[in-house]
Amino acid sequence: MVLDDPNADEELLKLSSDRAVFKDEGFRPFAEKFRDSQDAFFESYAKAHKKLSELGSKFEPAEGITLD
């Protein structure tokens, strides 16, 4: 399992919910896909964010979040 990967960053906090997404049969394909491809995660996130915006969700701060 990815969370028990000896190559994983030991500094990262790992919660029981992190393990749960890999045990759940319905969610596991997504967890593995996003684990293996950050690009796939961001592509899916962008689609979901766009859809939420179209449905009227408001995000704060309005200018978005930037990583410095």
Side-chain angles (χ1 to χ4, degrees):
M1 180 181 295
V2 68
L3 296 173
D4 297 323
D5 183 349
N7 298 320
D9 186 342
E10 292 182 17
E11 296 294 317
L12 294 176
L13 174 66
K14 297 169 192 138
L15 305 173
S16 58
S17 57
D18 297 326
R19 284 181 165 71
V21 298
F22 289 94
K23 291 181 180 178
D24 181 274
E25 293 296 322
F27 197 81
R28 185 183 322 171
F30 300 102
E32 291 175 345
K33 175 182 177 180
F34 297 148
R35 173 199 63 198
D36 295 339
S37 173
Q38 188 177 41
D39 289 339
F41 170 80
F42 284 122
E43 181 180 336
S44 292
Y45 176 83
K47 288 178 185 177
H49 190 99
K50 180 179 186 288
K51 185 65 172 181
L52 286 168
S53 295
E54 292 169 348
L55 294 172
S57 294
K58 303 293 182 212
F59 301 96
E60 293 186 19
E63 65 276 4
I65 299 172
T66 60
L67 300 176
D68 295 323

